[in-house]
Amino acid sequence: MRREDYEERERDTLAPWASMASDSRGRAHLEPEHPLRTAFQRDRDRIVHSTAFRRLEYKTQVFVNHEGDYYRTRLTHTMEGAQISRTIARALRLNEDLAEAVVLAHDLGHTPFGHAGERVLDGLMAEFGGFEHNAQSLRIVEKLEQRYPEFPGLNLSWEVREGIVKHSSEFDRPQVRAFDPGLAPSLEAQIADHADEIAYNCHDIDDGLQSGMLERERMGDVALWREHFAVTSERWPDAPFSILRYQTVRRILDAMVSNLIQNVEEEIARRGVSSNADLRQATPNVARYSEDMALKIRELKDFLMEQLYLHVRVTRMGVKAKTVMTGIFEAYFDEPRQMPPHIVAQISQGRDKPRVIADYIAGMTDRFALVEYRKLFDPLEKV
């Protein structure tokens, strides 16, 4: 099939409120269309082949890379979220390629050491405009990736870039001003946001139990776990807990996805949405859970915050991350020539020194940052 065939099939099969590749608002730098791939398919492929995407393999989700091979990384989280987004998009007759591309790009701007690293870098950059990973993801795809002679960045379509900056609900950020801040994001971007949340809620239960940081006995405090574990343990009473854990997480994920799909369909009917323009005007967002499911998810997230994200092991790693990233930032700030020549050249060419340093540190993987810290401060470490 050629691009025109895919575009025609989208117009014939997708919902009226879906985003059609043929209706894309285009790219910042004009390029000829690809003969075989739609705009959103092309965006997806550019993201997957980017340097920033490959680095996600060694960036923290919850557990730092050296803690074990089993635990999710930022890359495996992204892949799980992308799969969930395609499932939801397909069920709702939305553009799967756009939904997938948004999820694949949404974490490109994350620092090493997860959200702890982001908080540290934001504090270090407080006097220089701050740091926020959604904005950094946009910087990566618009400026920092250097792969094409004609333009900086990946030159993604307007719709994918909109999905990146509207991944957060705070639409008053400067980066959103170029993406219709008064309008809701595409439904594909909305479900991508939920797919991200579904992925981390479920895999953090799995990783937390596997690590022993979540106590099996305490999981009964969470309605979603309690309800679905009761079903799996009754169906397979002799199965080991490792299997019951997986089957319970699987049921929770399915329950969230199914509830979201059903509720989106009901919201569209209730609000009389009949076109993409209607969808864009619909506020609050159409993609939302039922009230009962939303309360259960809130309970789960509060539980994970208290029992996992604030666990002593995670907290200690967060403190270590602060030491490492602060040390690296201050060392570079005092003497930028400790960075590679091509990074230093950006400062010589007039780019803002703190932002150049932040861009470089944000691009580091966990293990690169740890090695770099030793090279900077351990006199016995080879530089």
Side-chain angles (χ1 to χ4, degrees):
M1 290 174 59
R2 302 184 66 79
R3 173 180 53 81
E4 293 87 352
D5 299 322
Y6 283 113
E7 291 174 346
E8 182 178 0
R9 187 168 68 177
E10 286 182 1
R11 289 189 292 270
D12 290 341
T13 60
L14 298 187
W17 42 84
S19 299
M20 308 296 172
S22 57
D23 294 335
S24 171
R25 291 170 62 167
R27 307 177 188 277
H29 304 277
L30 188 64
E31 292 184 71
E33 295 288 353
H34 194 276
L36 300 178
R37 293 174 293 164
T38 68
F40 303 147
Q41 290 171 346
R42 201 174 184 188
D43 290 340
R44 175 201 60 208
D45 297 344
R46 288 185 175 189
I47 293 162
V48 169
H49 287 280
S50 69
T51 302
F53 186 79
R54 291 196 299 277
R55 286 176 179 157
L56 296 179
E57 180 178 4
Y58 295 107
K59 289 195 174 188
T60 295
Q61 181 61 29
V62 174
F63 298 89
V64 177
N65 176 255
H66 61 248
E67 295 200 41
D69 294 338
Y70 172 87
Y71 306 118
R72 270 73 168 189
T73 65
R74 189 65 61 176
L75 178 62
T76 56
H77 158 69
T78 297
M79 293 170 66
E80 290 181 29
Q83 177 269 322
I84 293 168
S85 74
R86 291 196 74 101
T87 296
I88 299 171
R90 187 178 302 120
L92 293 171
R93 292 191 298 132
L94 302 176
N95 197 308
E96 296 179 42
D97 298 320
L98 174 57
E100 182 183 29
V102 172
V103 177
L104 290 173
H106 84 281
D107 271 354
L108 293 179
H110 257 296
T111 65
F113 311 118
H115 288 285
E118 179 177 11
R119 289 191 294 270
V120 173
L121 195 52
D122 183 41
L124 292 167
M125 289 292 292
E127 299 179 27
F128 313 108
F131 181 91
E132 195 267 336
H133 81 270
N134 292 316
Q136 189 69 10
S137 295
L138 186 66
R139 279 176 60 76
I140 287 170
V141 302
E142 288 190 337
K143 298 178 181 179
L144 300 183
E145 282 281 336
Q146 298 293 322
R147 309 184 71 84
Y148 301 94
E150 298 92 351
F151 48 77
L154 301 179
N155 200 29
L156 302 181
S157 67
W158 186 93
E159 289 76 13
V160 172
R161 291 181 290 128
E162 179 206 29
I164 293 172
V165 296
K166 289 185 177 178
H167 180 60
S168 168
S169 60
E170 299 175 7
F171 289 2
D172 58 347
R173 292 174 290 121
Q175 296 79 12
V176 187
R177 292 173 189 159
F179 297 94
D180 295 340
L183 299 180
S186 68
L187 190 47
E188 288 83 0
Q190 293 181 38
I191 64 149
D193 197 16
H194 285 284
D196 171 45
E197 179 185 59
I198 291 169
Y200 69 67
N201 278 333
C202 290
H203 64 52
D204 287 355
I205 296 173
D206 191 32
D207 284 355
L209 286 168
Q210 171 71 13
S211 69
M213 292 165 62
L214 290 180
E215 299 176 16
R216 174 179 172 180
E217 295 75 17
R218 291 296 306 274
M219 293 302 300
D221 296 342
V222 180
L224 274 171
W225 174 269
R226 187 171 60 249
E227 294 168 5
H228 293 286
F229 184 72
V231 175
T232 57
S233 56
E234 181 179 355
R235 183 174 179 183
W236 299 289
D238 299 323
F241 180 71
S242 59
I243 291 179
L244 295 179
R245 181 188 78 226
Y246 174 77
Q247 291 300 322
T248 302
V249 171
R250 180 170 170 257
R251 285 182 58 88
I252 292 172
L253 190 154
D254 185 66
M256 290 181 181
V257 168
S258 298
N259 182 274
L260 181 64
I261 291 169
Q262 179 179 347
N263 211 59
V264 168
E265 291 173 337
E266 293 174 357
E267 285 289 316
I268 287 174
R270 184 177 67 83
R271 301 195 205 184
V273 173
S274 60
S275 66
N276 187 266
D278 288 346
L279 185 284
R280 294 285 190 162
Q281 294 287 343
T283 55
N285 286 354
V286 166
R288 54 203 300 116
Y289 301 103
S290 68
E291 184 175 345
D292 179 61
M293 178 58 78
L295 289 173
K296 290 179 179 178
I297 292 174
R298 181 72 266 167
E299 178 188 55
L300 170 61
K301 294 176 75 169
D302 290 344
F303 177 85
L304 290 173
M305 176 59 70
E306 179 183 349
Q307 299 297 321
L308 182 62
Y309 308 141
L310 298 179
H311 191 280
V312 60
R313 283 170 56 185
V314 177
T315 300
R316 283 183 175 180
M317 194 61 231
V319 173
K320 292 178 183 180
K322 182 175 182 179
T323 300
V324 170
M325 294 185 67
T326 301
I328 293 174
F329 185 93
E330 292 178 348
Y332 290 164
F333 198 90
D334 291 341
E335 179 48 83
R337 287 177 295 180
Q338 296 188 88
M339 294 185 291
H342 70 281
I343 303 296
V344 178
Q346 297 177 32
I347 301 174
S348 303
Q349 294 163 5
R351 281 196 57 205
D352 183 58
K353 181 174 79 169
R355 186 58 61 184
V356 170
I357 295 172
D359 287 342
Y360 183 51
I361 293 176
M364 293 179 179
T365 63
D366 297 354
R367 63 180 185 176
F368 185 94
L370 292 170
V371 170
E372 183 70 355
Y373 183 80
R374 290 198 298 270
K375 288 181 177 180
L376 289 169
F377 296 104
D378 185 347
L380 299 180
E381 185 77 18
K382 292 183 178 180
V383 298

